[in-house]
Amino acid sequence: MSLRDRCRAGLSATGHGVFAIGLGLLNGPVLALWLVALVLSPVPMLGADLLHIATIVVRWRADIERRLGALAGVPIRRPYWPSPDRAELGSRRWVRWIITDPATWRDTAWLLPGAVVGVTLGVIMVAIPAYGLVGVVLLPLWLFLGDVWFGYGVFWPTATLAEAWLAFPQGLILVVVSLGAAPLLRRTDILFARLFLAPTKAAELRLRVAHLTTTRADAIGAQAAELRRIERDLHDGAQARMVAVGMTIGLAERLVLRDPGAALKLLAEARTSNTAALVDLRHLVRGIHPPVLAERGLEGAVQALALHLPVPVEVTSQLPGRLETPIESAVYFAVAEALANIGRHSRAGSAWVHLRHAEGRLFVEVGDDGVGGADATRGTGLHGIERRLGTFDGTMMITSPSAGPTVMTMEVPCALSSPKT
Amino acid sequence: MRVVIAEDLTLLRDGLTRLLEAFDFEVVAAVDNGPALLPTLLQHRPDVAIVDVRLPPTYTDEGLKAAIAARIAIPGLPVLVLSQHVEPLYARELLTDSGRGVGYLLKDRISDVEQFVQAVQQVAAGGTALDPEVVSQLLARREPLKGLTPREHDVLKHIAEGRSNAAIAAQLFITEKVVSKYINNIFSKLGMPPSDDDNRRVLAVLRYLDV
């Protein structure tokens, strides 16, 4: 860690100290509001609404703390149960949801100790460097103006000019030490908050179940839509063409003795329809499961994809075996989408794909040296990829600064099945 | 002309055999799996082998691998590879050794019987027959060769697909004489000395596709 990084970390932690004081002082009124709401909750017409509003305020405050945690590099996940659907403000279902969620009580329990810890640490983080700054800047300045009437640090009161000037190194030491220690103090504050604000084991499991439910629904929905699309494509494409082929051949059979010329024409027509049906089927098959993927696995299929791009694509791969088919397929389509985007938008001169498997995870990186500025939030294609990978607990990230390079990284936990043949 | 066929689907194997026999080819053996192909080829030494990419037992690219292995065992053995789909990647692998006597076509092309038979003969004679789809896919991603006129480009594309001069002439509505003039221009622009060697066609194709 360079000196500059250390300085930056110290300063941002000191900033956190300032926030911690302000927010800690806010905890009091928030707690008071919640307690009042709790006491008044049996009151008809008003109690339930008030409790609801108070809870929203408490959660808003807790979320700020979680966000500060994320900024400090200690992410704290939201532990709340998913809210009931279509519930009115202050309705019975809302109240039950609030009261029964342990996270509600843990938030509240944190407010007071959290305020004490936050304010204490915040004051230490802010006051010491401030005092140091006084020694560095203000005191020598006043002395310079000839105003010797108090002391600083170990020399109190200041007797001689030399002692006064010694305020400078003392202040400097205080500033350096406090900036160095600030990140530690910030971490302490966040870790204390995490004790209360992070999900418990049970909540973790519940969140996991909620996540699985969502991704499973996504997967089933996507699969159903896919099957519908395949059915429609077959019905309107190849199937219809084969019907036409049959009819044309039947006609040609009838004409072959009477009018061989016309029969020949019809047969040629049938052959054309047949070829078109094959083209349809080939496109359909490619969309379901690209043959090259079945034949060569992910690595070979990605190499085949790379050949379709107008820019040179370097494919490197460290996969000691084949992946499971569903994951292989999801990752293949993700890479295909990424490469298509490079072809469409990036104006790149070259691109690369790295495939790597380590510690039970597959790491995929697709990058290009183009103009950058790709936006992960836009584009349904990318969203589709994310959902597809989400089914396997996979994640996708895109970094694309405005001058490039654009890099898309994917991570999917998976085992390698059979070794390479 | 003696042919060996490797195709796992009985319907297609019999259909191919019937079709080739109708055009006076002699099908000396027809195998239905990858491992049997190489011994059969070594035993019969056919004039051309027609091989399906996907064969048992793996149902992956067994046929392609067997074809490449066969060409290593019997250098210059003409092989025509057939598949339900074409991949430029496979074309490159097939063409890397010399490009002589190599064909790679979609199975769809069999339905145009005469052209298919022409492709088989072309490959048996040591030429190249690449599916138009492969050619267009390989070309979609690169700039046209420097110095070739669009017309010369067209002619070269047809050569890559394995067409004879006569067929190219008919396709482009020009005389054969004009076609050979184009071809001579192409060869000289690609820096190949003029000669009547069929090999030059293959070399031009390889250079053209940048394999």
Side-chain angles (χ1 to χ4, degrees), chain A residues 251-293:
Chain A
L251 255 162
E253 266 179 342
R254 290 186 53 122
L255 285 177
V256 78
L257 292 177
R258 259 189 308 136
D259 186 353
L264 263 179
K265 260 208 199 88
L266 284 172
L267 285 172
E269 200 180 298
R271 199 156 54 77
T272 314
S273 296
N274 181 57
T275 306
L278 282 170
V279 172
D280 278 354
L281 284 172
R282 207 167 26 247
H283 281 298
L284 191 63
V285 165
R286 199 174 283 269
I288 298 170
H289 192 80
V292 68
L293 185 61

Side-chain angles (χ1 to χ4, degrees), chain B:
Chain B
M1 206 177 276
R2 301 162 69 256
V3 188
V4 166
I5 297 176
E7 161 66 62
D8 55 318
L9 297 171
T10 317
L11 193 69
L12 290 182
R13 199 170 53 238
D14 294 348
L16 260 177
T17 309
R18 229 169 39 178
L19 189 157
L20 289 167
E21 280 170 350
F23 279 82
D24 299 327
F25 287 83
E26 185 196 350
V27 179
V28 290
V31 300
D32 62 0
N33 65 76
L37 179 57
L38 189 55
T40 310
L41 290 174
L42 288 168
Q43 185 194 332
H44 291 283
R45 299 282 171 143
D47 298 311
V48 59
I50 299 179
V51 181
D52 181 13
V53 166
R54 217 184 267 203
L55 289 175
T58 58
Y59 289 102
T60 57
D61 56 353
E62 191 99 8
L64 182 75
K65 289 211 174 91
I68 292 170
R71 281 175 63 87
I72 292 170
I74 313 171
L77 170 82
V79 176
L80 172 57
V81 175
L82 294 176
S83 175
Q84 296 273 37
H85 67 105
V86 285
E87 296 289 340
L89 184 70
Y90 296 178
R92 284 214 328 204
E93 288 170 13
L94 272 167
L95 291 169
T96 39
D97 54 2
S98 69
R100 289 188 58 81
V102 171
Y104 182 38
L105 293 176
L106 277 170
K107 284 184 182 173
D108 312 13
R109 311 293 172 205
I110 304 173
S111 67
D112 190 335
V113 178
E114 263 139 49
Q115 237 186 51
F116 173 70
V117 168
Q118 220 177 60
V120 176
Q121 283 159 342
Q122 189 90 13
V123 171
T128 349
L130 288 181
D131 201 279
E133 179 115 346
V134 183
V135 176
S136 65
Q137 281 186 24
L138 277 168
L139 293 184
R141 51 181 290 256
R142 62 181 71 256
E143 303 295 306
L145 278 182
K146 277 189 196 58
L148 291 191
T149 65
R151 203 59 164 163
E152 287 163 352
H153 222 263
D154 269 352
V155 172
L156 189 45
K157 192 166 147 244
H158 285 298
I159 293 177
E161 287 164 14
R163 302 278 163 79
S164 63
N165 285 12
I168 298 173
Q171 185 84 36
L172 299 178
F173 305 111
I174 46 181
T175 63
E176 268 192 70
K177 231 170 109 179
V178 177
V179 172
S180 49
K181 207 180 87 199
Y182 275 132
I183 291 177
N184 280 331
N185 282 351
I186 293 167
F187 287 157
S188 66
K189 280 183 182 176
L190 294 179
M192 297 175 196
S195 78
D196 274 342
D197 185 7
D198 204 18
N199 191 25
R200 277 197 318 159
R201 278 177 103 87
V202 177
L203 285 176
V205 169
L206 294 182
R207 177 116 12 134
Y208 172 60
L209 296 176
D210 189 26
V211 180

Side-chain angles (χ1 to χ4, degrees), chain A residues 53 65 73 78 114 227 238 242 288 290 380:
Chain A
I53 290 164
E65 199 67 21
R78 293 189 87 219
L227 285 173
M242 295 316 292
I288 298 170
T380 49

